[in-house]
Amino acid sequence: MKELYDGIGRGYSTKRCTDPKIYAQIAAKLQGAGSILNIGAGSGSYEPENIKLIALEPSQVMINQRPEASHPAVCGRADSLPFPDNAFTHAMTVLSMHHWQNRDRAFEEIQRVTLQRFTAVTWMPDLAPFWLTDDYFPEILDYDRQHFPLIDEITQCFTQLTVNPLLIPHDCRDGFLGCFWQRPEAYLQPAVRACISTFTKIKYLDSGLKRLRDELLSGAWSAKYSALLSKTEVDLGYRILVADF
C-alpha cells in the first residue's frame, strides 16, 4: 500500500528540522530512558542521541532522507509493531498520531512493547485555533479536528496520563503547520506548504493564499495580530502527552 509520505514527503528533511527549544521540551520527558522506539519517525527529528533508539516509519521515502549517522530505522506501522513484548523502556511519537489508521490498536501495541513511558507530541482539536486556520484556511481546521485524537480517546487507553503545553518559539526551525505563527509570509511559499501535510488535503487553497497575501500587503494582518509580534513563544494547542505504565 502506498504511504501518504511516499508522495508528499520528498524534501521534508530540508524544511522539517529539529528546533532546539522544542527538542528540549521533548527530551525532558525522555530522561532516564534505556531504549526508545520512535513511531512515525520521519527523517529523524527530535530523536535523542547517545541512547539506544529504533525508528519506525511506514514511508521508505522518509527513511531514505534520514541522515547517514542517525539511529537505525525499520519500515512499519504503529498498529502492527514488529517487535517483541517489552522490547523498549520508552516509546515516543511526534505529530504522527493523526495519521495512524487504527489508533486503538496502535495504543495497545505501544503498551505491549513498552515497559515504562510513552511520550507523544500532538495537537488538541478542541482548543481554540490560531490565526492561520481560523482566518485563512478553515478547511484545514475542519480536517485536523476530524483526524487529531481528543484527550478522552487517549485516556481510554492510557490511565496515567499527564498533559503539558508544547510552546512554539517565534523563530522555530521546524516546518510544521504552527511554527510560522510570527512569520506569516512563509505560508505563501510553495516549498513550505509542501512539507505541511494538511495543505495537501484542502480544495480552496488559492482563495486562502490570496486573502493572506492581500492582507499582508495592505497591513491588515499586522493590524489584527500586532500583539503576536512582541512574543517569543506561544501556546497554539500543541501538547506533550506522557503516559506512564
Side-chain angles (χ1 to χ4, degrees):
M1 181 175 67
K2 184 177 177 62
E3 296 293 338
L4 171 66
Y5 281 86
D6 286 343
I8 69 171
R10 300 178 192 280
Y12 252 57
S13 60
T14 64
K15 295 294 183 183
R16 300 296 293 266
C17 305
T18 303
D19 180 85
K21 297 184 182 70
I22 292 178
Y23 174 79
Q25 296 176 73
I26 297 171
K29 308 303 182 186
L30 297 170
Q31 289 184 359
S35 56
I36 300 174
L37 171 63
N38 184 15
I39 303 169
S43 56
S45 298
Y46 305 109
E47 293 178 356
E49 298 179 356
N50 303 317
I51 191 169
K52 180 182 177 182
L53 184 148
I54 294 180
L56 183 86
E57 168 57 45
S59 168
Q60 191 62 49
V61 167
M62 298 299 291
I63 291 175
N64 292 345
Q65 294 180 72
R66 294 175 61 84
E68 187 173 331
S70 64
H71 294 289
V74 173
C75 193
R77 305 179 64 84
D79 55 14
S80 183
L81 298 178
F83 306 105
D85 295 356
N86 303 323
F88 306 91
T89 66
H90 289 56
M92 64 178 288
T93 190
V94 178
L95 293 176
S96 76
M97 291 195 296
H98 56 296
H99 294 306
W100 297 356
Q101 293 187 352
N102 188 338
R103 275 197 297 263
D104 287 346
R105 179 59 181 161
F107 292 156
E108 291 175 357
E109 283 285 271
I110 288 166
Q111 293 179 83
R112 180 182 65 79
V113 305
T114 308
L115 282 167
Q116 297 178 19
R117 172 173 285 189
F118 171 48
T119 298
V121 173
T122 188
W123 176 77
M124 293 289 97
D126 53 347
L127 298 180
F130 88 112
W131 61 261
L132 181 74
T133 57
D134 197 27
D135 277 6
Y136 302 98
F137 299 100
E139 200 177 355
I140 288 179
L141 180 60
D142 291 342
Y143 180 88
D144 281 350
R145 280 179 167 166
Q146 293 176 40
H147 289 82
F148 277 85
L150 291 163
I151 284 293
D152 287 349
E153 175 188 339
I154 299 169
T155 54
Q156 288 179 8
C157 298
F158 301 102
T159 55
Q160 297 186 56
L161 186 74
T162 58
V163 182
N164 305 274
L166 179 73
L167 300 178
I168 311 303
H170 71 102
D171 56 353
C172 186
R173 297 181 189 176
D174 204 336
F176 57 88
L177 183 68
C179 74
F180 301 107
W181 58 267
Q182 201 183 77
R183 295 164 288 168
E185 64 282 350
Y187 296 108
L188 301 177
Q189 301 175 23
V192 168
R193 297 195 306 274
C195 291
I196 300 172
S197 62
T198 42
F199 273 111
T200 69
K201 305 295 185 180
I202 62 175
K203 296 179 181 179
Y204 303 106
L205 175 66
D206 291 343
S207 59
L209 291 175
K210 182 180 186 306
R211 184 179 177 195
L212 178 57
R213 185 181 297 108
D214 290 348
E215 293 196 355
L216 287 171
L217 289 172
S218 70
W221 186 93
S222 296
K224 286 190 290 185
Y225 301 111
S226 58
L228 290 175
L229 301 179
S230 62
K231 295 183 181 295
T232 59
E233 59 184 14
V234 294
D235 179 356
L236 299 178
Y238 294 96
R239 295 291 183 266
I240 304 178
L241 311 181
V242 176
D244 288 311
F245 308 145

